[in-house]
Every structure is written in C-alpha cells, then in structure tokens.
Amino acid sequence: METFGIGIAGLGVVGSGVAKNLVKNAELITQRTGFKFEIKAAALRDPALAHGIVDPSKVKLTTNSMELANDPSIHIIVELMGGTDAPRTLIQESLKNGKAVVTANKALLAECGEELTALAAHHRKPFGFEASVAGGIPVLKALREGLVANNILSIHGIVNGTCNYILSQIAQTGSTYGAALAEAQKLGFAEADPTLDVEGFDAMHKTVVLAALAHGFWIPQEMVHVQGISKLASEDFAFAKMLGYTIKLIATVKSHPDGAVEAHVQPTFVPNRHVLASVSSSFNALAIKGDVVGETLFYGRGAGSDPTASAVIADIVDAAAALSGGHAPHLGATHSLYAKIKPYEETMAPYYIRLGALDKPGTLATIAQVFAAHQIGISSVFQPKDHPGDFVPLILLCDTAPERDVRLALAGIAGLGVVNGPATAIRLEEFAP
Ligand SMILES: NC(=O)c1ccc[n+]([C@@H]2O[C@H](COP(=O)([O-])OP(=O)(O)OC[C@H]3O[C@@H](n4cnc5c(N)ncnc54)[C@H](OP(=O)(O)O)[C@@H]3O)[C@@H](O)[C@H]2O)c1
C-alpha cells in the first residue's frame, strides 16, 4: 500500500475540515484509491489551536509554513492559509522540492495562476485547486475531464454564496440589503468585512480560474468587469419579480466564434423559468454549455468546512495518483493560447433600464428617440400608475445591444432634462439555446 505524507498549511475553516475528514473517511478513501494518507505536519500561527483538530503526538506543528516545503516526509502540500504572499512562496518552494500542491486559494490563482501552473508543469508535479471555485462542487474536474471533448461555449455561475444568500433573502422576504447582510453575517455566510464578496471580487477570482480551465489562458483580473450587489435598489427586485425575473450575481465566461472570450461578474436578471433562478440561500450552481454535450448543470455547497474539504481531498487523491505514476492533470492547457479577451464595452446583452422620468407628455418619445439613434430596440415599456411627484419610474426592456451603445444612450438621455438622475441598467440573461 502506497502511503503519502501530507503537510497542511493553515488549520482554519477549510484546513480543519480537511484534517478531520481525512481521518474520518480514511478507510473508505483507502479502499477506493489504494492509497493511505498520513498528516505529517501542519503549519499554523498558534500551535495551541491545533488541539482537537490533529493529534499533536503524531503531527508535527510549526508556525513556519516553509518547514513543510523542506520536510522530506511530506509528498503533498495542502495550502489553506489564505492571502497571497506566503502561499505563493510556499507553493513555489514545494513544487521546486518535488512535492505536489493542493490549494483552495482563488485570490492567489487569479493573481499568479499562470505562473504557478507553468511552474507545476515545468517540475511535472500535480497542482490541484478544485476547491478554489464553487467549494464542494467538482466543476473544475468536470471542465478538465468530463467535458474534455467540448469547446466550452458558455459558463454562467452563481459562485458566491454570500451574495446569493443576500439576494435570495431580499427577493423572498422583501428585506433591505442591510438587513439581509446582517442576517448573513449572523449565520456565518458573510465576513465581518464583506467587501470581497459583496463587491464581486471573490466571484471575479473564480471567473478567472473558470476561464483558464475552459479556454486555456489566464485572463488578467483587471480585464474582468466586476460589479457587486451592494448598490442594488429594492425597487429593482420588485420590478424584476413583476417582469418574471430574479436578480442573481452571475459570473459569465462566454466564447465567440472568432476566438474572443468575454468574462464578467454582475447582478443579472435571470428568467424565473431558468433553473439558476431557483438556486437560493448560500448554494452555488453553474450552467455550462459545451458544443458536444449541450447544456449541463452543477449545483451544491460553494463554501464551508466540509464541502470545501471534500474538494481538497479529491485533489489530494488525484495528486497521489499522479505521483504514483499517473499523469498530472494538464492545467497549463495550450488549446487557446492565442485567444483574445473581448473588451466589456463590446459585449452584448439585452437590458433592464430604470429611469426616473419627467411625468409629462412627450418624455417617452424623447427617450425612445435616443435609443433609436443608437440602434437599440425597446421590447417593453412599463410605468407604474399613481406614482406621486414630478418624476415617475420608467422601466424599459431593451433588445440585445453592445454595452458601449447602451452607456452612450443613457449618457445622452441624462443630458436632456427629462430624467432626475442616473439610470439603472441591469443585464438580462435569456440563456438562448
Ligand atoms: N472558508 C471557505 O468556505 C472556503 C471555501 C473555498 C475556498 N476557501 C479558501 O481556502 C483558504 C483558507 O480559507 P479558510 O476559510 O480556511 O481561512 P481561515 O479560517 O482564516 O484559516 C486560515 C488559517 O491559516 C492560518 N495562517 C494564515 N497565514 C498563516 C501563515 N503565514 N502561517 C501559518 N498559518 C497561517 C490562519 O491563522 P490565523 O487565524 O492566526 O491568522 C488560519 O488559522 C483561503 O484561500 C480561502 O479563500 C475557503
């Protein structure tokens, strides 16, 4: 029986889940894989906190994670510290020292994924990061293996549980953004400082990783358009419901026939008939379309100690199989090396537009003329009755148009004196076949 030494750097939420489940399901994992795994060492800032997570009589504890990279009894390094500087150095040194590496660190991958996957390929060592996207859902493995025969046409993902919890709460209970966020924090679905999640950056990190697996190149983070959920207005949830939609934070990776790939994260109107609209609470889900398979759907827990540990342990097993003589998964994929990134302003979508319009005959015609001048069709117009004041909400559903033209039209309308402030523009995703 082949035995692999494991070194875990970081015994927090995910690290403790990995340590616990590697022991709890040791026999099952060994029966299925033929491998045995022994946690040889763990790095953490306060070794006293390791008690109850690992057995200190069997597991060496250190405050210096680099000790793991130089420990000859360790074959697989599991990086679960978070942050970027220390994990980057640890992963570099571990790969150079001939160790396999597993991480859940999406922020690091979005920043250094290209460099680290190239380094792993150079040293011919496995480098797994399944847990970096959608926690326990094996979506990267699906892209890498199950969908290997496909050109990936589109990925639409709900990949941030914090945002999905907040959006579901607002849509289902009518609560305010602030109350839904406070509830998420109370239940442990949101951090004390929720910025990374609610402003869309965490979803953007995952979008970079998804695009790399789907299209073989690492999109620079700054080229992924990001818009979070903190500025959404309650009335847009009400109008969405009335029009048959649900607002979700959607991470999109879409390829075009010319090889260009668009990648963005933003609140999106999802039609209630689509399965993503019914993904609620902190769950994640991804709809992935391939040219051979067609539409596929992945659903599950996107975070948390046990679901994330499930993905980390799967990577540990894959790493052991590769070290044992198999092939390391091919991560530095070269199939789209020359792919281009489609600038966000050139990407196309239908839009929901809400304006505060002057309640006077002719206003609608004035606004419609501006859209027409930019070749943007309007498919629906709605104005709630009996709204007090000089300005009333005007809801327009616009046909598919380039982002740039929609922005130009809205800027033009803003200068006409018929609206009382900036327009709200939210994309609609109709999931056309
Ligand atoms: N939590 C999730 O559900 C989840 C899901 C998917 C991916 N991830 C990713 O998994 C990674 C870990 O997340 P987590 O939620 O487990 O974080 P966490 O609970 O904060 O755990 C990180 C642990 O690493 C320790 N640590 C940090 N820097 C260290 C260093 N230089 N040397 C030794 N120990 C160090 C921390 O100690 P201190 O507490 O003393 O700083 C903490 O115990 C992150 O990259 C995260 O993005 C998390």
Side-chain angles (χ1 to χ4, degrees):
M1 170 106 40
E2 234 175 323
T3 301
F4 292 90
I6 308 292
I8 305 180
L11 279 184
V13 173
V14 184
S16 62
V18 171
K20 179 186 83 179
N21 288 298
L22 261 181
V23 172
K24 178 175 152 266
N25 286 353
E27 210 179 302
L28 173 77
I29 294 166
T30 298
Q31 278 170 1
R32 282 184 173 154
T33 64
F35 303 132
K36 236 178 118 183
F37 297 99
E38 284 174 5
I39 303 172
K40 296 287 188 187
L44 70 172
R45 281 205 242 262
D46 179 1
L49 298 178
H51 293 268
I53 301 174
V54 292
D55 180 352
S57 68
K58 293 187 184 146
V59 178
K60 188 176 140 199
L61 300 175
T62 173
T63 55
N64 179 5
S65 62
M66 290 306 287
E67 278 185 25
L68 307 186
N70 296 307
D71 184 334
S73 73
I74 294 174
H75 308 100
I76 303 169
I77 296 288
V78 183
E79 185 284 304
L80 298 168
M81 296 186 287
T84 47
D85 292 344
R88 183 181 182 190
T89 315
L90 172 64
I91 293 172
Q92 287 169 332
E93 280 309 301
S94 301
L95 291 170
K96 281 180 199 160
N97 290 346
K99 300 184 192 307
V101 174
V102 173
T103 182
N105 195 330
K106 55 255 177 179
L108 176 71
L109 288 159
E111 193 174 311
C112 320
E114 182 163 17
E115 171 207 320
L116 295 176
T117 48
L119 191 66
H122 175 75
H123 291 285
R124 295 173 173 271
K125 288 291 168 265
F127 177 42
F129 43 86
E130 180 65 59
S132 66
V133 179
I137 310 171
V139 68
L140 300 189
K141 203 176 174 75
L143 282 169
R144 213 175 54 218
E145 297 179 11
L147 300 177
V148 70
N150 289 261
N151 285 297
I152 302 299
L153 304 177
S154 64
I155 302 175
H156 292 99
I158 294 172
V159 293
N160 184 277
T162 306
C163 289
N164 203 47
Y165 178 83
I166 294 170
L167 294 175
S168 305
Q169 277 296 104
I170 300 173
Q172 287 162 14
T173 69
S175 69
T176 62
Y177 169 79
L181 171 60
E183 182 73 11
Q185 285 168 323
K186 204 172 93 190
L187 295 173
F189 293 145
E191 304 278 344
D193 177 358
T195 311
L196 199 66
D197 291 313
V198 299
E199 298 308 338
F201 299 114
D202 174 79
M204 177 272 283
H205 294 152
K206 293 164 179 169
T207 304
V208 170
V209 178
L210 284 166
L213 267 290
H215 299 292
F217 71 111
W218 292 83
I219 299 180
Q221 297 180 67
E222 60 278 9
M223 298 200 71
V224 180
H225 172 84
V226 186
Q227 193 188 331
I229 63 165
S230 66
K231 309 266 180 325
L232 287 169
S234 321
E235 53 202 308
D236 294 318
F237 288 86
F239 287 129
K241 190 173 178 180
M242 208 189 64
L243 294 163
Y245 292 85
T246 303
I247 303 179
K248 295 289 182 193
L249 186 75
I250 298 289
T252 303
V253 178
K254 210 185 269 183
S255 66
H256 293 268
D258 66 354
V261 173
E262 61 178 88
H264 37 83
V265 173
Q266 68 221 319
T268 304
F269 272 41
V270 175
N272 288 337
R273 63 175 158 70
H274 194 272
V275 65
L276 286 185
S278 58
V279 175
S280 60
S281 188
S282 62
F283 279 91
N284 282 199
L286 297 101
I288 301 181
K289 198 194 258 186
D291 63 345
V292 182
V293 70
E295 206 49 88
T296 62
L297 187 79
F298 300 83
Y299 171 86
R301 287 266 175 221
S305 185
D306 287 344
T308 313
S310 169
V312 170
I313 294 171
D315 271 350
I316 291 174
V317 169
D318 274 357
L323 291 176
S324 173
H327 291 291
H330 195 53
L331 299 168
T334 53
H335 57 283
S336 295
L337 258 188
Y338 305 104
K340 303 183 289 285
I341 300 154
K342 199 169 187 68
Y344 183 63
E345 56 273 22
E346 289 175 20
T347 63
M348 315 254 295
Y351 278 84
Y352 157 92
I353 310 268
R354 177 171 54 81
L355 298 150
L358 188 61
D359 193 10
K360 216 175 122 190
T363 298
L364 181 57
T366 307
I367 290 170
Q369 269 172 16
V370 180
F371 280 109
H374 288 90
Q375 310 290 320
I376 300 169
I378 297 171
S379 57
S380 264
V381 179
F382 173 73
Q383 204 156 24
K385 281 187 179 157
D386 304 326
H387 204 280
D390 294 338
F391 291 88
V392 293
L394 174 64
I395 310 301
L396 307 173
L397 294 187
C398 293
D399 296 339
T400 299
E403 162 79 16
R404 178 187 287 131
D405 292 353
V406 173
R407 294 289 151 199
L408 284 172
L410 294 178
I413 290 165
L416 294 176
V418 294
V419 291
N420 65 352
T424 296
I426 302 177
R427 285 186 171 213
L428 282 91
E429 179 52 69
E430 295 293 357
F431 300 94

